[in-house]
Amino acid sequence: MRQTSPFEIIEGDPAAGLVILADHATNRLPPEYGRLGLPESAFARHIAYDIGVEALVRRLVARLDVPAVLSCFSRLLIDPNRGEDDPTLIMKISDGAIIPGNHPITPEEWEARLNRFHRPYHSAVSQVIAAVGTASGRAPLVISIHSFTPTWKGVPRPWHAAVLWDSDPRAVTPLIEALEASGDILVGDNEPYDGALRGDTMFRHCMETGIAHALIEVRQDLIGDDTGVAEWDARLGPILANLNARPELHEIRRYPSRTGPYTF
């Protein structure tokens, strides 16, 4: 059976010092998983992937000439933005959709998905971050791109974008200021989600290692087509370039996590 890669690395200039990540870039499943017992329509929803993010990240890395790592499997299979011990790593139900292919699940299948999808993705992230650090001679700046639904349980979300973070403010503060400077969008600061999530991608690769970082969420209806993606590429591209030019964002500085003490 032909195995597809669980990640894609987009090449860029590693000496630039910036890495872009897309944990939920695609809604793909290997053929042997079928559709996990779900209708095809489920894979057009946010439960399967972050709508608009893949196209936005591809435009940003082309504009900035920096490397990126994208996941190549649906979050319905296993969520790369969760720690290995997180109970939501493999969801049984997501936003009202029961996932028959995930329940019941054997310990062997759980471990198989970690080995085939989750761990290789994170190994790729670690390798790209290390390569950028070596090529640039300094700590990289890491930016993760996600998207969120315009409504949740029938309640509209007013934010156009959001910045999620734990306790390292170095990239977050100037990023929020830059997003708000245009005066035409509302930016959530740890809204609609809190960025302190133990074991997630930013915790694992940045909080624990002292690398400056930020997670950007864009509302999905704003990047749901080519026009919206182009607008947000034009908005975010210069902001990320300016952030990356700040020397203080290329230093190792470890902050205590709001999730509790580190284990090492």
Side-chain angles (χ1 to χ4, degrees):
M1 183 180 298
R2 180 174 172 269
Q3 298 272 327
T4 56
S5 176
F7 60 85
E8 178 185 354
I9 296 173
I10 302 177
E11 300 295 337
D13 179 10
L18 175 62
V19 177
I20 297 179
L21 305 178
D23 295 328
H24 301 143
T26 71
N27 58 2
R28 301 174 201 157
L29 288 180
E32 61 270 28
Y33 283 96
R35 307 313 272 166
L36 292 173
L38 291 165
E40 188 63 33
S41 59
F43 290 85
R45 297 181 57 202
H46 71 97
I47 62 172
Y49 73 124
D50 277 354
I51 294 166
V53 162
E54 179 182 6
L56 178 57
V57 167
R58 290 188 186 280
R59 290 190 69 126
L60 285 170
V61 297
R63 170 191 289 268
L64 299 169
D65 187 22
V66 297
V69 186
L70 289 71
S71 72
C72 293
F73 54 92
S74 172
R75 66 198 300 177
L76 289 171
L77 191 65
I78 188 168
D79 193 333
N81 195 37
R82 296 292 184 272
E84 291 193 11
D85 58 352
D86 192 309
T88 66
L89 180 68
I90 298 176
M91 295 288 284
K92 300 172 184 176
I93 183 169
S94 181
D95 194 15
I98 297 172
I99 308 162
N102 290 350
H103 182 69
I105 184 170
T106 66
E108 292 77 16
E109 175 59 21
W110 189 285
E111 188 69 14
R113 293 190 196 183
L114 280 168
N115 284 329
R116 183 174 169 187
F117 304 102
H118 193 277
R119 288 169 182 154
Y121 172 75
H122 283 284
S123 292
V125 171
S126 294
Q127 290 166 13
V128 170
I129 288 174
V132 169
T134 298
S136 66
R138 54 187 182 161
L141 170 64
V142 176
I143 300 293
S144 183
I145 307 291
H146 289 250
S147 66
F148 64 96
T149 59
T151 63
W152 182 249
K153 299 188 184 301
V155 179
R157 287 167 157 171
W159 310 280
H160 300 85
V163 179
L164 310 187
W165 58 296
D166 186 339
S167 62
D168 182 348
R170 289 176 292 166
V172 170
T173 300
L175 174 57
I176 292 176
E177 289 174 352
L179 286 168
E180 291 179 335
S182 63
D184 62 343
I185 62 171
L186 181 63
V187 181
D189 181 350
N190 272 333
E191 295 281 358
Y193 311 111
D194 190 333
L197 181 60
R198 193 168 191 85
D200 73 352
T201 301
M202 294 291 89
F203 180 91
R204 175 173 179 171
H205 296 283
C206 300
M207 286 297 295
E208 286 190 325
T209 59
I211 290 174
H213 61 282
L215 189 155
I216 300 172
E217 295 258 9
V218 183
R219 209 173 66 202
Q220 289 171 358
D221 59 315
L222 302 178
I223 52 172
D225 57 27
D226 290 342
T227 299
V229 169
E231 289 174 353
W232 278 85
D233 167 50
R235 184 187 296 270
L236 289 175
I239 291 174
L240 296 185
N242 289 335
L243 281 180
N244 194 46
R246 300 171 72 113
E248 69 272 21
L249 300 188
H250 295 282
E251 301 172 356
I252 296 294
R253 194 179 304 168
R254 207 158 174 243
Y255 289 75
S257 171
R258 290 189 284 118
T259 68
Y262 299 114
T263 57
F264 61 90

